[in-house]
């Protein structure tokens, strides 16, 4: 992460078309899967920490962001509570009604199982011991799902169905990729990927999180049209590890995403934590390495906000809108048919403008306009912003 690389950037970037203001979405992230981290680019305004409880040394926002960037916690374990409220139906129930993804996937495949984190409140147990050993377990009412990385092996186990998923990890050599997935650290890294002048970042006092002294870093968009009110990151005062991440929408109410440690330890977990052998009678699904890079890179891209690779972008900062052409002209149910098309259709509102006619699909954070000629405009922006973008793009 290079938190200050764009502080003084002006003019047309290397990926921008000067005639249209359109850029390739090389760095823009659109939240389409599990969480809605809306910050594509984040600016930095230094501020002193307010006094509070606990009484910690004052720190500027710049210093705190640098502290997060330098954090290198390699051994830890704890319990994380994750609450997600995008204003969507229960995606776990929806997925069950659709018969999974493709119908033949193992219920232990993380790409199938961990989409449940897209809605509701869940409890996770996480552990890490260096870059070669990580584990995250999703605790359910009568069952448990675990995703385990131990050296070259990646295992997924769903106790409810007694199914096992197995693949072989590819080592990237990135020492920062040892941390468990779906922790506040994962979300904070997405929110702090880059910076520009469209965002205010300040320190707003201190707090006690999971028994640890922490600073509160607050990120707010300066631009109008964004659906995000603010992002608050609770940062461990000693290690710099984000302990809590909260994203609140402008519409108010409960946070869209609230992920925080309730217990945390920085002692090395027991070696047996990462041991796994398929139970007797379990159905084991083997996947060849390289089929899905998410298993090899970071042990947890399943949790990260999905990127629209290859899409163009319009605008900048918090007002950035990703756009691409599905080629599905006349398909009012959107780019996906079947059960998913019906699900999207139930969320849609018809709109019209200089671009013609289309449908806006909304959550509490992300809005997407799909025009009748198959173009998609999506971002953490208001419906009006999408319509204006589509009109200007015509």
């Amino acid at each position: 992460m290079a938190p200050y690389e764009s502080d003084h950037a002006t003019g047309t970037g290397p990926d921008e078309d000067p005639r249209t203001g359109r850029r390739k979405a090389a760095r823009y992230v659109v939240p389409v899967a599990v969480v809605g981290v809306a910050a594509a680019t984040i600016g930095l305004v230094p501020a002193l920490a307010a006094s509070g409880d606990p009484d910690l040394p004052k720190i500027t926002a710049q210093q705190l962001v640098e502290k997060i960037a330098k954090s290198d916690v390699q051994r830890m374990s704890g319990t994380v509570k994750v609450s997600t409220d995008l204003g969507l139906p229960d995606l776990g129930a929806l997925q069950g009604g659709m018969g999974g993804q493709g119908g033949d996937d193992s219920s232990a495949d993380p790409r199938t199982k961990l989409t449940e984190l897209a809605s509701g409140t869940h409890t996770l147990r996480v552990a890490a011991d260096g870059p070669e050993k990580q584990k995250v377990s999703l605790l359910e009412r009568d069952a448990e799902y675990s995703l385990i990385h131990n050296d070259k092996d990646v295992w997924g186990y769903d106790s409810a169905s007694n199914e096992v998923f197995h693949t072989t990890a590819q080592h990237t050599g990135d020492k920062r990729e040892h941390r468990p997935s779906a922790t506040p650290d994962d979300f904070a890294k997405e929110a702090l990927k880059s910076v520009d002048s469209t965002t205010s970042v300040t320190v707003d006092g201190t707090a006690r999180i999971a028994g640890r002294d922490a600073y509160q870093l607050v990120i707010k968009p300066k631009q109008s049209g964004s659906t995000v009110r603010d992002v608050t990151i609770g940062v461990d005062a000693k290690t710099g590890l984000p302990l809590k991440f909260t994203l609140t929408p402008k519409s108010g109410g409960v946070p869209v995403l609230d992920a925080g440690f309730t217990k945390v330890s920085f002692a090395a977990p027991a070696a047996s934590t990462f041991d796994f052998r398929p139970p007797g009678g379990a159905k084991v699904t083997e996947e060849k390495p390289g089929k899905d890079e998410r298993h090899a890179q970071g042990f947890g891209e399943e949790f990260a906000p999905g990127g629209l690779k290859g899409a163009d972008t319009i605008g900048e900062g918090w007002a950035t809108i990703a756009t691409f052409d599905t080629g599905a002209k006349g398909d009012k149910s959107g780019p996906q048919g079947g059960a998913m098309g019906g699900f999207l259709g139930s969320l849609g509102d018809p709109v019209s403008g200089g671009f013609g006619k289309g449908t806006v699909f909304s959550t509490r954070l992300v809005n997407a306009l799909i025009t009748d000629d198959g173009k998609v405009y999506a971002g953490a922006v208001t419906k009006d912003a999408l319509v204006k973008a589509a009109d200007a793009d015509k």
Side-chain angles (χ1 to χ4, degrees):
M1 175 170 60
Y4 318 114
E5 65 182 2
S6 59
D7 277 356
H8 307 291
T10 59
T12 301
D15 295 322
E16 182 173 335
D17 185 336
R19 296 168 297 176
T20 64
R22 183 187 293 265
R23 304 185 310 280
K24 283 295 180 183
R27 302 189 333 179
Y28 179 68
V29 178
V30 177
V32 295
V34 177
V35 297
V37 181
T41 51
I42 294 177
L44 192 66
V45 178
L48 291 176
S51 61
D53 185 14
D55 186 13
L56 295 172
K58 294 186 184 298
I59 190 171
T60 68
Q62 177 174 336
Q63 290 169 335
L64 189 52
V65 171
E66 290 175 345
K67 191 176 185 71
I68 296 172
K70 294 176 182 177
S71 177
D72 190 28
V73 175
Q74 296 201 27
R75 295 175 176 85
M76 57 83 67
S77 60
T79 302
V80 178
K81 182 179 178 181
V82 180
S83 296
T84 310
D85 187 350
L86 288 166
L88 297 171
D90 187 301
L91 295 187
L94 172 69
Q95 182 185 51
M98 293 172 63
Q101 297 179 347
D104 296 326
D105 290 342
S106 166
S107 67
D109 188 327
R111 292 160 300 189
T112 300
K113 186 64 179 180
L114 297 180
T115 56
E116 293 179 12
L117 293 177
S119 62
T121 298
H122 304 273
T123 299
L124 305 174
R125 281 202 302 255
V126 298
D129 188 1
E132 311 301 338
K133 296 180 185 290
Q134 304 101 34
K135 180 177 181 179
V136 56
S137 296
L138 171 60
L139 308 183
E140 300 173 314
R141 182 175 301 175
D142 300 313
E144 180 175 321
Y145 175 80
S146 293
L147 186 59
I148 304 156
H149 172 208
N150 191 344
D151 194 21
K152 64 182 179 64
D153 293 308
V154 175
W155 297 95
Y157 176 60
D158 183 8
S159 68
S161 63
N162 197 29
E163 292 193 26
V164 175
F165 174 88
H166 177 250
T167 190
T168 302
Q170 299 175 7
H171 302 302
T172 63
D174 187 342
K175 294 182 179 180
R176 290 186 57 83
E177 296 297 352
H178 52 259
R179 294 174 181 155
S181 306
T183 66
D185 182 41
D186 293 293
F187 305 139
K189 284 190 293 185
E190 289 296 331
L192 293 171
K193 274 190 170 180
S194 55
V195 303
D196 67 15
S197 60
T198 68
T199 307
S200 165
V201 180
T202 58
V203 182
D204 186 20
T206 63
R208 289 283 290 177
I209 302 173
R212 306 278 300 183
D213 292 351
Y215 293 102
Q216 299 272 53
L217 187 71
V218 179
I219 300 168
K220 293 183 179 181
K222 293 181 179 179
Q223 296 167 300
S224 62
S226 172
T227 56
V228 177
R229 188 187 78 184
D230 58 47
V231 171
T232 301
I233 303 172
V235 184
D236 185 63
K238 185 175 182 180
T239 67
L241 181 73
L243 299 174
K244 188 172 176 63
F245 181 96
T246 304
L247 190 155
T248 305
K250 275 187 179 176
S251 59
V254 299
V256 167
L257 173 65
D258 189 25
F261 281 96
T262 58
K263 296 179 181 179
V264 66
S265 170
F266 295 105
S272 59
T273 302
F274 310 101
D275 292 340
F276 180 79
R277 290 185 179 182
K283 175 186 174 182
V284 179
T285 300
E286 294 280 351
E287 181 172 274
K288 293 181 179 180
K291 180 179 179 181
D292 194 322
E293 293 180 354
R294 290 176 297 180
H295 298 300
Q297 298 178 0
F299 179 59
E301 293 298 315
E302 293 84 4
F303 292 103
L308 293 177
K309 294 181 179 179
D312 294 334
T313 64
I314 299 173
E316 63 178 355
W318 297 80
T320 303
I321 296 171
T323 178
F324 61 96
D325 194 339
T326 68
K329 298 183 185 300
D331 182 2
K332 297 182 180 181
S333 68
Q336 300 189 54
M340 182 57 74
F343 167 65
L344 290 174
S346 69
L347 298 176
D349 295 319
V351 293
S352 61
F355 63 87
K357 295 182 179 181
T359 305
V360 172
F361 304 101
S362 301
T363 71
R364 296 179 64 225
L365 184 70
V366 179
N367 291 316
L369 166 61
I370 303 179
T371 66
D372 284 359
D373 61 1
K375 291 185 178 179
V376 176
Y377 301 85
V381 298
T382 63
K383 297 179 183 178
D384 288 344
L386 293 177
V387 171
K388 290 179 180 178
D391 283 344
D393 193 39
K394 194 63 179 177

